[in-house]
Amino acid sequence: MLTRIVTALIGIVAAVGIVTYGGFVFALAVLTLGMLAWYELQRMAANKGFHVYSITGGGGVLALLVLTGWFCINNCDRNLLFPLMIMVLVVALVAVCFEGLLRHCNWGEANWAGDVALTVFGLLYCGLLFSHVLLLRSVQGPQVHFLRAMEYGEALLWTVLIGTWASDTFAYFVGITFGRHKFCSVSPKKSWEGAIGGYLGSMSLVILLAHHVLGICQFDAHIMGFVIAVSAPIGDLVESVLKRNFEVKDSGKLLPGHGGVLDRFDSLLFTAPLTYYVLLHGNLWK
């Protein structure tokens, strides 16, 4: 427990510094996390005999994150970014299939469909979803005060992070206090009581911050709160299913007491992209 607490404190300090600084430092941090997540997925899949392709799949993840980071750092037009992201995904998809054919025809790898499918999944999971963390931090808007004066995108990302963390925290403490009914076989320790506590705690905090800090209207703040409160546990359960299928306890060992990158950022990979599109649809920034 002590190791877990120390790691968490170091992580919080690092996160505050990186998110606050933004720009190249933040883009480099997300790029590093995305590639580490890819490596963890590759290692987990190998535990069950699958081969997730490094060159075409990992190269696609790298290209997506570098492209998105460059656009965000230079504040370029997102109308130009999204077609380029689709192009990268299409090229990477074709390249992955081609590499799979080469391996199947020349080296006799039998599990072609499984290897290709997992590589494409990793491309979307670690590349496309992580790239939206960059997009969320780069959202433009009026300067806001959230403990201190900060950029709109920074305050927005903190709102999503706090809402995501609150989901797990409230679920844990409500679950160990009142939990009686099992929630999901994938995570036997989770309870319906904990899930409801996590949902209510996360949604309440997000609505409060979105409306009073970000200046988002009540209706859109409630939608944002609902999306984060629902998608955070889904992201956690998806990663739990992956680990159970690959028969591993943690996705990695990078963070002592916490596991790997995917163990810590699984929920954010769902909350950040969905929040971004909720805001995009609501046209809540210029």
Side-chain angles (χ1 to χ4, degrees), residues 103-286:
R103 291 181 176 277
H104 178 68
C105 296
N106 296 326
W107 294 290
E109 291 191 1
N111 198 11
W112 180 87
D115 292 346
V116 168
L118 275 172
T119 303
V120 173
F121 171 77
L123 177 65
L124 299 174
Y125 191 53
C126 304
L128 186 63
L129 296 186
F130 256 116
S131 68
H132 284 77
V133 178
L134 291 167
L135 290 172
L136 202 64
R137 174 62 178 84
S138 67
V139 169
Q140 300 297 306
Q143 188 181 66
V144 299
H145 289 269
F146 183 22
L147 301 179
R148 59 174 173 77
M150 63 176 64
E151 296 175 352
Y152 192 86
E154 181 188 349
L156 175 60
L157 180 56
W158 279 122
T159 299
V160 175
L161 286 170
I162 291 172
T164 303
W165 293 335
S167 172
D168 185 57
T169 303
F170 277 93
Y172 175 77
F173 285 107
V174 173
I176 62 174
T177 305
F178 303 105
R180 298 293 183 274
H181 303 87
K182 297 296 182 183
F183 175 65
C184 182
S185 60
V186 175
S187 296
K189 294 182 180 180
K190 296 185 185 297
S191 66
W192 275 106
E193 292 83 356
I196 294 171
Y199 171 81
L200 294 176
S202 174
M203 186 169 183
S204 299
L205 275 176
V206 172
I207 292 172
L208 181 67
L209 294 173
H211 183 60
H212 294 285
V213 175
L214 299 174
I216 296 174
C217 71
Q218 282 281 7
F219 178 77
D220 291 321
H222 276 75
I223 293 177
M224 183 173 166
F226 172 79
V227 166
I228 291 175
V230 170
S231 60
I234 292 176
D236 178 60
L237 289 173
V238 165
E239 202 250 351
S240 295
V241 171
L242 282 175
K243 291 189 293 186
R244 173 162 291 197
N245 275 264
F246 294 139
E247 298 181 359
V248 296
K249 182 178 183 295
D250 296 313
S251 65
K253 299 180 180 179
L254 178 67
L255 307 171
H258 290 265
V261 171
L262 287 175
D263 291 315
R264 288 299 89 202
F265 292 92
D266 50 4
S267 295
L268 184 64
L269 289 180
F270 280 53
T271 57
L274 291 175
T275 300
Y276 181 80
Y277 289 111
V278 165
L279 295 175
L280 184 64
H281 183 267
N283 194 27
L284 298 177
W285 72 87
K286 295 180 181 178

Side-chain angles (χ1 to χ4, degrees), residues 47-58:
N47 193 56
K48 293 295 289 183
F50 292 100
H51 187 186
V52 178
Y53 305 148
S54 298
I55 297 175
T56 53

